[in-house]
Each structure stands twice: as C-alpha cells, then as structure tokens.
C-alpha cells in the first residue's frame, strides 16, 4: 500500500515529524487518550475547540459544539492550529548568540547573562534605559505579570505591548465616550439587530466565525451596511456598501450625521437625559452636506443619504468596527465619531442594540486591561491618577513613590532605542521587525541595542537580533484566561506541557524577578494563583474581575466583566440601566473636525496604499507561516489593484511590480481585482524582510492612542522593466 501522498521533506516542512505520518509506517490514525476543551489561539473571537491529546502531544482536534459563540465552527486558522505544537521549529532550549548564529544553552547561563546585562545597563544609564515589550495574544495572567515585573523587578517606566499596533484607538475612544473600554454587547445580540453597520472590518477574513452572526441578522430580515475601501468578502453580501477613500472615515460619519440631524432621525430624549456634548456634534457636522462628503470620501452622495436613512430609522442596530478605522493618525477620532452615530440614536444597552470593537489578537481585550500598557496599572487603572497609584502600591506592598510613572509606547520605545536612550530590551511574543511600520528603522534600532532578550516559542525575525532567547510556551502549553472581544473572560486549561527544556512563560518571568532580588512579589506556584491576585488587584478599579475564579469561568462558558463580587454572574450587556461610567452617568459625544491622513497623495506618490490581513495568516505570521496548508492558501504578499488602475499603468495580472513609498520599495506581484477602489492598492502584512508591507508604511502616530497609520500612506507603482509612469488619482 502506498502511503506517500507528499514526500517526507515536504511533510516535515509542513507539519513536523511526529503527527500522523512517519516514513516507516506511513499515515496512521492515532486514538487520543484525552480531549481538552479549550479555545483557538488566534483571533479575539476565541472559538471553542477540543484538542485531541495523546501522550502529551496534540494530535488533532474535534469541534466543541457546546461553546455558544462558535457552536463547533472554526475558520482555516482554527482548524490548522493544532499542527504548530509539534513543528520542528519549536524552540526547546534557551539560545545564546554566538559567532555562527545561536547555540543551545542551559537555563542557568541564559538567566545569568540576562540578569547581569539588565543590572549593568541600569547601573550605567538608569532604570528606564531597559524596556519591556509584551503581547496581546498572551493570557490575562501574563499581561498582569508583565506589568508587575516591569514596575517592581525592572523598575522601569518603559513597558508597553503589541496591542499598541492593534486596538488602542478603540480603547481610548471607548473610555472617552462611555467611561469604560469594552464592547457593549455579547455577540449573541448581533442576529437581533435590524441594521448591522460594519466599519473597517474585513470580518469574514479576520474574524470569520462572526460572519455567521451577521448573516443570521440578515436572515432575520436585517440590513447590512459595510464601510471599507475594499469590497471585502462580507461586503459582497451586504445591502449597502460605502467604498470610503482611505483616511476619510470621520468625514463620512459627519456626512451621515448631517442627514440624520437634518431629517430628525435622532433620539432627542436619550440625548437629553443620558448624554453630554451633542451640540458640539451638531456644529461639527453642519457643513458636511452630501455633496461635500462625496467629494472628500469618494462615496456617492445618494448612498450617504441611504446609510443615514437605514441607520437613522432602525428600531434595533449594532455597530461593529475593527482596525480599518483605528489604524490611522485620526483613529481615535474615527472611533469617537462612529460612537456618535450610536449615541445619536440612543440604541445601546438593549437587546439587539449596541456597539462593539472586534479584537484582532486572541486576548486583544484582556491584554489591554491588566497593566502591561505604559500608562496603566491593574484593574484598568490610570498610572497618572494618584488614587489609582496608591491603591496598587498598597496592594503590592510598596510605597507609591516606588511605582514608575508613565513610560513610552511601543513605537516610541523602538524610536528611543534608535536614539540611543534605551539600551536594553526584554520582549515576549512580540515581533516588531515585521509588525511596526518603516521596518528599516526598526531593524536599525534592534542592531543598536546593547542587550536584547526574547521569550518566544518560535524564533521570530525580531528574535534573530537577540542575544538571549528563552524557549517559552505556546497557548496550549500553559493554563490561564483570556478575555474575548465581547468582554467574556474564558479559561484555557493546560493541554500539554512545553516540549524539551522549554518552560511556561510566567515561570521565566518569575525566575528573572527572583534573580533581580524581587522574588517576594512573584511567589506563584501556578497560573491560578496569578489569576487570583489579578482579580483581587482589580477590585474597585474600572475593570473589575474580583468576583471571578477558574471554576466559575468553566461552569458558565466564561464571565463578562464587570464582575465585582463572588455572587455576581457578570455583565454580558453594558449600560442596560442607561448609566455610563462617568460621575454623572452620562455618555459623552465628541464633535469631530475631520483631519485627513498624515501623508496625502501627490504627483510623485499618487496612489493610496492600505494594508491588512488575509484569512489564512495571523499578524506577523510567526505561527501561521509555519503551517503548510495555511501557507499554500496565500504563500506570499500580492498587491491588489483595480483593473482601471492596472490598465492605466499597463500592469498585467501576476506581473511583478515595484511599490514605492517615502520609506521604502517592495517588489510584489499584482493581483487585479474589481473589489478595491481604483485609487487604492492593498498589500497584506504577514511577511518579513523583502516581503514585508511594513517596509512601505508610515510610522506617524495618532496623538492620543499612539497607534501608527498602517491603513493609509501614499505610494506609486512602477513596472519593473518600463519607465515608471506617474498616476494622478481620479
Ligand atoms: Fe480562531 Fe478566530 Fe478563526 Fe475562531 S474565527 S477559529 S478564534 S481565528
């Protein structure tokens, strides 16, 4: 019997050597000795899945139909995630840089070298000269531990996380408008909405399982509105598509609000009784007639009016958004203006009525709640608030003056390394070389570090610049909790131990703290003890988990925060009492004066470049670029462009072209599609080096959230073998 479907080398490249195929015995079916009910390790939907485990190895998966969010369904990434644990690239020992690259090392040497470097750098340059970068794919426990480690063990103010590249515009706007940073509704409200407005979310590729919730709304008679420069898969099934010019969302919302106010499609009672600041909105939208809005946004005036009519007259509605409106220098303004749309109608805090931010990373919500942000302490507290500082100092048993102040954000940390102000870095599950704009500058910064240590499960492109690499843990190799995009905290059981000499991440952090002389603050024997401390620390804070424990999370398919005491069952839907999280209980409107992108198109760079994801890859690709079937689905970046643009420039489908911005140049094949604006091209960002879209993007930041402008910059396209042709946007 012939077993070889693909050759061995190809198989091992794809899956690792030890799943269901060996050269000796061919394909075989293994019986699991246990099934572990857990969750997907990728996006913020956190679909339930059962991992098949045999002899402490993950050998497959089965659906978990009972978990209410996905009821057994998974997207391509979720289906293939089980293949990563046995991958041959999995780090199993600490690595130390040597002349020929890296060599395996004992933990003792890796630890000692790191602690010596931290102490040396801090004694010569000060505590803030050593920085920490965390991640939003990690558990709540690790997010809490990262913040505590930076403040108490490293004593540095410079800690931030890769959510700074992701959800921070929404986080800032949510707090400014509602006083709380959480989606207002459970996903189960989506099918009950008469109108679902999706703004800047490529839902079907980035959060595929949520698509069904939206389609259920449509099956129930609801209407779907999609706002995006690209006709993404979900837009192809919607009722009204508004192909907004990149960087002009807030102008478009002003245009919609202009019509709603003119026509009286507003809830005056709600505005009067439950909000502040609507007059400023009236003022800021006054001049945004449909004609002016069409001119700025490129959306036909008739469709702006249609959107206002649909949204304005609905009885129930949900507005969902993602990075498409947030990855801008006016990202906070964009989110605030979409919230204005929700508040104007008063449709929030009821079944089928509300608002949500769809989180891109697995713990995009929880990762931003527990103190690993540069301006935040546990429980969502503000590091600049004296009361909050005292509460956490008391809880940790230190004096308030010992807590560092607000530090630099993620991109600012990279800039400070480039400037020589930060000399040392410890990073965990963060791949800034691929994920931060203007990657040439990131590379130059990494090369300037006196010392760089990483904790990771695979050697990332950033890790290749490290002096020490600690072999950490994949999601299935540790226990913990994450909080999904709907605000539901869920438990992840430990499925298998880390392989070889790899260790769970939190134990690495705790040992470093011990060696830095701060072990008394990090005396944890299991993840549950960290969660118990995290919950207690959050008590009385803006983000209150104090009524949660692992058992409760298991029993109820998770718990929505706030959950302020042990008898509380959580809060799936916020604002049901029409009370917002400000002293006067009222939500706040913010009038938005539209600002364009930091870099406008001109004669030299006449085309908008926007970036994003594809369904088969996840963020910087450090995990998904190692899973063969996902690679095969979309093996390298392509540059999407409209046939009109391609015709004007004489570009053929699949022809390799040069994309040029003020930051860099990239060679990439053209993909000619009708689903994008003719003045815009799109490149996905999951690849490193010469395939990295972030060679091109603009590192300019939103002034409030400090998120970079991934979603718009100016570029030109050049045929490689012809003279470059200049293009003027229509
Ligand atoms: Fe995983 Fe998100 Fe796909 Fe669900 S939708 S399987 S959580 S990547």
């Amino acid at each position: 019997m012939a077993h070889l479907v693909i050759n061995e080398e190809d198989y091992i490249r794809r899956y690792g050597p030890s799943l269901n195929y060996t050269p000796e015995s061919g394909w075989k079916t293994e019986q699991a000795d246990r099934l572990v009910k857990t969750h997907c390790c990728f996006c913020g939907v956190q679909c339930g899945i059962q991992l098949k485990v045999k002899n402490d190895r993950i050998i497959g998966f089965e659906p978990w139909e009972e978990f209410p969010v996905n009821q057994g369904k998974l997207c391509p990434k979720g289906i293939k995630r089980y293949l990563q644990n046995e991958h041959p690239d999995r780090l199993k020992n600490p690595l130390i840089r040597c002349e020929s690259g890296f060599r395996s090392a004992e933990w003792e040497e890796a630890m000692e070298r790191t602690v010596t470097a931290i102490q040396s750098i801090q004694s010569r340059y000060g505590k803030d000269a050593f920085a920490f970068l965390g991640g939003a794919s990690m558990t709540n426990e690790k997010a809490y531990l990262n913040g505590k480690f930076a403040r108490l063990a490293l004593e540095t103010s410079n800690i931030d996380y890769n959510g700074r590249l992701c959800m921070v515009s929404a986080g800032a706007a949510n707090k400014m408008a509602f006083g709380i940073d959480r989606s207002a509704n459970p996903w189960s409200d989506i099918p009950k909405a008469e109108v679902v407005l999706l703004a800047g979310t490529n839902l079907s590729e980035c959060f595929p399982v949520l698509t069904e919730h939206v389609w259920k709304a449509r099956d129930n008679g609801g209407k779907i509105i999609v706002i995006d420069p690209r006709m993404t898969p979900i837009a192809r099934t919607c009722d009204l598509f508004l192909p907004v010019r990149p960087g002009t969302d807030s102008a478009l919302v002003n245009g919609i609000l202009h019509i709603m106010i003119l026509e009286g499609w507003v809830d005056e009672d709600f505005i009067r009784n439950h909000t502040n600041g609507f007059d400023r909105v009236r003022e800021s939208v006054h001049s945004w007639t449909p004609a002016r809005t069409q001119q700025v946004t490129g959306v036909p005036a008739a469709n702006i009016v249609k959107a206002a009519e649909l949204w304005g007259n609905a009885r129930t509605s949900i507005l969902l958004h993602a990075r498409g409106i947030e990855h801008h220098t006016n990202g906070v303004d964009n989110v605030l203006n979409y919230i204005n749309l929700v508040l104007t109608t008063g449709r929030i805090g009821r079944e089928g009525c509300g608002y949500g931010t769809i989180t891109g990373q697995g713990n995009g919500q929880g990762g931003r709640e527990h103190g690993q942000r540069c301006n935040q302490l546990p429980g969502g507290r503000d590091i600049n608030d004296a009361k909050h500082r005292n509460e956490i100092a008391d809880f940790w048993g230190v004096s308030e003056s010992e807590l560092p102040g607000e530090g630099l954000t993620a991109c600012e940390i990279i800039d400070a390394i480039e400037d020589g102000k930060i000399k040392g870095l410890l990073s965990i599950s963060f791949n800034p070389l691929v994920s931060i704009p203007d990657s040439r500058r990131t590379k130059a910064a990494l090369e300037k570090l006196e010392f760089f240590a990483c904790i990771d499960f695979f050697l990332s492109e950033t890790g290749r610049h490290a002096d020490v690499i600690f072999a950490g843990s994949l999601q299935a190799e540790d226990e913990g909790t994450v909080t999904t995009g709907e605000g539901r905290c869920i438990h992840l059981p430990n499925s298998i131990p880390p392989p070889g000499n790899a260790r769970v991440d939190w134990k690495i952090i705790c040992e470093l703290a011990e060696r830095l002389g701060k072990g008394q603050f990090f005396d944890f024997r299991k993840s549950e003890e960290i969660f118990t401390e995290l919950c207690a620390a959050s008590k009385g804070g803006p983000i209150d988990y104090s009524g949660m424990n692992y058992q409760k999370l298991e029993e109820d398919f998770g718990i929505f925060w706030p959950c302020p005491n042990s008898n509380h069952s959580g809060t799936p839907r916020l604002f049901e009492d029409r009370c917002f999280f400000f002293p006067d209980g009222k939500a706040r409107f913010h009038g938005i004066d539209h600002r364009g992108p930091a870099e406008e198109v001109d004669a030299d760079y006449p085309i908008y470049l926007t970036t994003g994801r594809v369904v088969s890859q996840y963020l910087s690709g450090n995990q998904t670029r190692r899973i063969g079937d996902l690679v095969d689905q979309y093996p390298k970046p392509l540059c999407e462009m409209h046939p009109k643009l391609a015709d004007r420039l004489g570009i053929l489908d699949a022809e390799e072209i040069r994309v040029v911005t003020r930051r860099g140049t990239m060679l990439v094949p053209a993909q000619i599609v009708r689903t994008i604006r003719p003045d815009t091209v799109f490149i996905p960002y999951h690849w490193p080096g010469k395939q990295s879209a972030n060679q091109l993007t603009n590192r300019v930041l939103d002034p409030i959230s400090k998120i970079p402008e991934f979603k718009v910059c100016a570029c030109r396209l050049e045929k490689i073998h012809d003279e470059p042709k200049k293009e003027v946007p229509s």
Side-chain angles (χ1 to χ4, degrees):
M1 180 180 170
H3 293 297
L4 267 175
V5 177
I6 55 176
N7 70 43
E8 180 194 359
E9 191 184 327
D10 200 22
Y11 184 85
I12 290 173
R13 178 183 70 77
R14 286 162 175 249
Y15 309 127
S18 56
L19 288 176
N20 296 333
Y21 174 80
T22 59
E24 298 76 36
S25 53
W27 296 96
K28 62 184 186 314
T29 304
E30 287 190 284
Q31 293 301 315
D33 51 38
R34 58 199 163 94
L35 282 175
V36 182
K37 288 183 167 63
T38 184
H39 295 270
C40 176
C41 56
F42 297 125
C43 87
V45 182
Q46 287 293 290
C47 294
I49 185 172
Q50 299 191 81
L51 293 180
K52 292 167 74 173
V53 177
K54 180 174 184 176
N55 298 332
D56 283 341
R57 289 166 44 242
I58 295 172
I59 59 166
F61 77 97
E62 284 190 5
W64 179 14
E65 282 94 350
E66 294 79 20
F67 187 68
V69 173
N70 64 311
Q71 298 175 328
K73 299 174 201 75
L74 296 164
C75 82
K77 292 186 290 290
I79 286 170
K80 298 295 177 186
R81 60 79 50 104
Y82 75 96
L83 292 165
Q84 64 183 321
N85 289 75
E86 298 289 330
H87 196 281
D89 290 352
R90 178 72 177 86
L91 296 174
K92 294 179 181 161
N93 288 293
L95 300 176
I96 288 185
R97 176 167 295 288
C98 62
E99 276 187 9
S100 58
F102 289 101
R103 63 174 169 82
S104 283
E106 298 297 323
W107 278 94
E108 176 62 29
E109 185 186 3
M111 284 281 169
E112 201 44 47
R113 190 175 280 219
T114 301
V115 168
T116 302
I118 292 170
Q119 290 169 333
S120 166
I121 286 171
Q122 291 192 318
S123 68
R124 285 179 289 137
Y125 306 110
K127 297 288 187 188
D128 282 350
F130 203 95
F132 187 102
L133 287 173
S137 291
M138 294 186 296
T139 58
N140 293 323
E141 287 78 352
K142 288 188 240 179
Y144 173 80
L145 202 66
N146 290 348
K148 188 176 182 185
F149 174 79
R151 272 71 183 234
L152 297 191
L154 292 176
E155 302 173 72
T156 182
S157 64
N158 290 322
I159 169 172
D160 209 45
Y161 79 133
N162 62 14
R164 189 66 62 184
L165 313 177
C166 211
M167 287 83 52
V168 284
S169 293
N174 292 346
K175 282 199 78 173
M176 289 165 72
F178 302 126
I180 189 170
D181 173 20
R182 209 208 88 180
S183 292
N185 300 67
W187 304 136
S188 55
D189 268 353
I190 298 172
K192 298 166 188 161
E194 212 174 87
V195 174
V196 180
L197 196 164
L198 301 168
T201 169
N202 179 5
L203 190 87
S204 305
E205 293 201 78
C206 304
F207 325 100
V209 167
L210 278 190
T211 305
E212 205 206 359
H213 291 56
V214 175
W215 282 349
K216 273 188 191 159
R218 194 188 51 184
D219 292 346
N220 293 337
K223 301 285 186 202
I224 315 300
I225 306 173
V226 174
I227 299 175
D228 201 293
R230 300 166 64 219
M231 187 181 271
T232 58
I234 189 73
R236 292 166 214 165
T237 65
C238 76
D239 298 277
L240 180 62
F241 173 53
L242 308 184
V244 65
R245 183 172 287 136
T248 64
D249 276 273
S250 56
L252 178 60
V253 179
N254 277 348
I256 296 172
L257 282 165
H258 175 97
I259 300 293
M260 285 170 57
I261 292 171
L262 199 69
E263 296 291 343
W265 296 328
V266 299
D267 186 336
E268 296 284 2
D269 284 348
F270 177 85
I271 292 168
R272 191 169 42 251
N273 295 325
H274 302 292
T275 68
N276 285 315
F278 188 61
D279 285 347
R280 178 72 184 86
V281 174
R282 270 188 214 280
E283 216 176 276
S284 58
V285 308
H286 180 71
S287 63
W288 286 94
T289 59
R292 182 185 175 201
T293 309
Q294 171 176 325
Q295 191 185 23
V296 172
T297 66
V299 176
N303 285 347
I304 296 166
V305 175
K306 183 77 185 158
E309 190 179 0
L310 271 176
W311 184 259
N313 289 308
R315 283 168 303 171
T316 54
S317 60
I318 297 267
L319 191 149
L320 298 171
H321 67 86
R323 310 300 82 72
I325 67 166
E326 298 164 42
H327 277 162
H328 294 275
T329 46
N330 58 359
V332 175
D333 282 359
N334 286 341
V335 181
L336 285 170
N337 222 9
Y338 279 103
I339 291 173
N340 287 339
L341 267 185
V342 176
L343 293 176
T344 299
T345 62
R347 291 194 300 264
I348 191 162
R350 286 187 278 132
E351 192 175 64
C353 291
Y355 158 88
T357 299
I358 310 175
T359 47
Q361 299 200 62
N363 198 20
Q365 180 66 42
R368 70 179 194 250
E369 293 175 346
H370 306 293
Q372 67 169 332
R373 292 164 59 171
C374 66
N375 55 353
Q376 185 196 56
L377 291 170
R381 290 180 176 86
D382 180 351
I383 203 163
N384 295 308
D385 182 309
K387 177 171 171 284
H388 288 180
R389 289 176 64 82
N390 278 307
E391 284 169 356
I392 290 302
D394 283 350
F395 183 82
W396 281 344
V398 298
S399 70
E400 183 274 333
S401 61
E402 288 175 78
L403 288 183
E406 178 170 347
L408 299 172
T409 60
C411 292
E412 292 170 330
I413 285 174
I414 300 296
D415 292 346
I417 296 169
E418 200 183 3
D419 293 344
K421 293 178 186 142
I422 290 178
K423 306 284 189 183
L425 177 66
L426 174 60
S427 140
I428 175 165
S429 300
F430 190 173
N431 194 5
L433 191 52
V434 180
S435 55
I436 287 186
D438 204 350
S439 43
R440 265 188 323 182
R441 285 180 58 194
T442 309
K443 187 163 184 276
L446 293 173
E447 286 170 358
K448 275 188 90 168
L449 281 166
E450 279 192 21
F451 179 80
F452 177 26
C454 282
I455 303 173
D456 224 326
F457 34 73
F458 292 123
L459 180 57
S460 71
E461 290 71 24
T462 303
R464 291 175 205 279
H465 293 262
D467 300 286
V468 173
I469 297 168
F470 295 102
S473 46
L474 275 160
Q475 181 241 34
E477 297 162 359
D478 193 6
E479 186 176 25
T481 62
V482 295
T483 303
T484 73
E486 55 181 350
R488 181 199 299 257
C489 181
I490 52 175
H491 179 235
L492 305 170
N494 181 199
S495 305
I496 56 168
N501 292 321
R503 293 184 180 174
V504 291
D505 296 333
W506 64 265
K507 288 188 179 170
I508 301 171
I509 300 272
C510 290
E511 183 166 346
L512 286 170
E514 167 83 33
R515 287 170 182 256
L516 287 165
K518 297 299 171 86
Q520 71 271 29
F521 300 112
F522 297 87
D523 185 20
F524 301 109
R525 281 153 298 168
K526 51 183 181 172
S527 299
E528 190 169 8
E529 291 178 356
I530 308 174
F531 188 68
T532 302
E533 181 174 309
L534 172 167
C535 291
S538 76
K539 189 165 185 60
I543 296 173
D544 197 330
Y545 278 51
S546 59
M548 297 187 196
N549 58 53
Y550 278 3
Q551 192 187 342
K552 243 170 115 173
L553 297 183
E554 284 283 350
E555 285 166 3
D556 298 340
F557 296 118
I559 295 175
F560 292 77
W561 67 269
C563 179
N565 62 63
S566 56
N567 296 321
H568 199 285
S569 55
T571 315
R573 190 178 299 112
L574 295 174
F575 319 131
E576 287 191 295
D577 54 1
R578 318 305 265 169
C579 195
F580 297 88
F581 286 70
F582 290 112
D584 63 2
K586 294 186 174 182
R588 294 178 183 172
F589 280 104
H590 293 262
I592 301 301
D593 299 319
H594 170 66
R595 288 180 286 124
E599 191 175 74
E600 270 294 356
V601 292
D602 58 20
D604 292 327
Y605 300 94
I607 298 160
Y608 295 103
L609 166 67
T610 190
T611 63
R613 296 210 222 168
V614 297
V615 67
S616 52
Q617 292 293 320
Y618 178 65
L619 304 179
S620 80
N622 196 31
Q623 289 164 275
T624 44
R625 278 187 279 112
R626 295 173 206 277
I627 299 177
D629 284 0
L630 297 181
V631 174
D632 291 348
Q633 193 168 336
Y634 201 115
K636 60 182 182 180
L638 303 171
C639 179
E640 278 188 14
M641 69 185 69
H642 194 276
K644 283 185 186 166
L645 176 60
D647 279 355
R648 276 204 295 268
L649 298 178
I651 293 171
L652 302 175
D653 193 39
E655 176 184 346
E656 189 163 68
I657 56 163
R658 186 183 293 117
V659 184
V660 185
T661 70
R662 291 185 175 86
R663 272 73 51 197
T665 295
M666 178 179 181
L667 301 182
V668 58
Q671 185 181 36
I672 299 177
V673 295
R674 295 192 171 276
T675 50
I676 189 166
R677 291 177 55 89
D679 58 4
T680 302
V681 295
F682 166 83
I683 305 177
Y685 58 61
H686 309 286
W687 292 269
K690 291 183 176 169
Q691 294 187 321
S692 171
N694 280 324
Q695 298 172 97
L696 307 173
T697 46
N698 195 357
R699 197 189 276 189
V700 62
L701 306 178
D702 179 289
I704 296 173
S705 68
K706 306 291 178 78
I707 206 168
E709 192 148 68
F710 292 101
K711 287 292 184 277
V712 56
C713 68
C715 75
R716 70 168 174 266
L717 309 184
E718 295 175 356
K719 282 176 73 75
I720 292 177
H721 302 296
D722 287 350
E723 283 297 306
K725 293 179 182 175
K726 289 189 174 174
E727 172 63 15
V728 179
S730 55

